[in-house]
Amino acid sequence: MTDQPHPPEVDIPVKPTSASRTTLSHIMTGNDTNLLGTVHGGVIMKLVDDAAGAVAGRHSGGPAVTASMDEMVFLEPVRVGDLVHVRAQVNWTGRSSMEVGVRVMAERWNESTPAQQVGSAYLVFAAVDEDGKPRRVPQVAPETERDKRRYQEAQIRRTHRLARRRAIKELREQRTAEGIDD
């Protein structure tokens, strides 16, 4: 059996951070509340995933699926009547994956006070083809100093994610080798 030559890699153009940056806005209603009368964290998480998914799809030029959500932080409660703005951008790209940073802002719908940050998250998306297999994504080109800082921080988070996965896998293999079945 002979090895089939691999098809040549298609040159994928680099995309600037601003090419896929987006904001999703939503007014919070009574349907969004939890038992405490504030907006349910899961509602905010869905908005975060929706905005991040739109950014990942825009950047990659096609379907992208959520691979993980890191560091979802809730800083302040969101209330009924708040206008929530979910701002997302690609911070870093790998071969087929992208880290999307999301900032959640909220303002009263009927006041002219500035929006305040109420949450943030980092999500990793994988670009997929029509068969659900990974596909290459354009590299992101940070444009501003803030974009460059976010890119560098994303690399640190990626290193930590990979190290954590590796350490957990090694621990599980060790426990299995020791006959510990849990």
Side-chain angles (χ1 to χ4, degrees):
M1 181 171 168
T2 61
D3 286 336
Q4 294 293 323
H6 293 288
E9 294 290 343
V10 176
D11 248 354
I12 299 177
V14 174
K15 282 189 174 179
T17 306
S18 62
S20 56
R21 189 178 288 142
T22 195
T23 299
L24 173 70
S25 297
H26 188 79
I27 193 157
M28 298 291 109
T29 68
N31 292 334
D32 301 318
T33 60
N34 59 26
L35 296 175
L36 299 175
T38 57
V39 173
H40 195 288
V43 171
I44 301 299
M45 291 174 76
K46 182 178 183 333
L47 293 173
V48 164
D49 191 45
D50 287 347
V55 166
R58 280 179 162 186
H59 182 83
S60 68
V65 296
T66 310
S68 70
M69 178 183 272
D70 288 353
E71 300 180 39
M72 180 72 215
V73 178
F74 298 99
L75 302 169
E76 297 288 335
V78 177
R79 302 171 293 164
V80 170
D82 281 353
L83 181 57
V84 172
H85 308 285
V86 184
R87 299 181 180 146
Q89 74 173 47
V90 173
N91 289 336
W92 176 90
T93 51
R95 183 175 174 82
S96 62
S97 64
M98 302 157 275
E99 184 196 88
V100 178
V102 181
R103 179 171 290 177
V104 183
M105 308 293 289
E107 62 181 304
R108 294 305 294 168
W109 69 274
N110 59 349
E111 296 175 9
S112 59
T113 56
Q116 79 175 83
Q117 185 173 354
V118 295
S120 65
Y122 300 100
L123 296 88
V124 176
F125 279 78
V128 294
D129 64 17
E130 58 278 348
D131 297 320
K133 303 288 187 219
R135 61 180 175 80
R136 290 198 53 203
V137 299
Q139 294 302 296
V140 68
E143 298 171 283
T144 66
E145 286 304 314
R146 179 179 284 177
D147 293 342
K148 290 174 187 171
R149 174 186 53 79
R150 288 176 176 165
Y151 184 90
Q152 292 169 330
E153 290 173 357
Q155 289 177 305
I156 293 168
R157 281 186 293 276
R158 180 177 187 272
T159 299
H160 285 255
R161 271 192 301 273
L162 294 175
R164 184 176 59 238
R165 277 189 210 139
R166 199 168 33 255
I168 290 169
K169 181 181 178 193
E170 289 170 3
L171 175 64
R172 288 178 179 175
E173 288 170 352
Q174 176 188 349
R175 290 177 59 85
T176 300
E178 293 171 358
I180 301 171
D181 183 24
D182 45 40

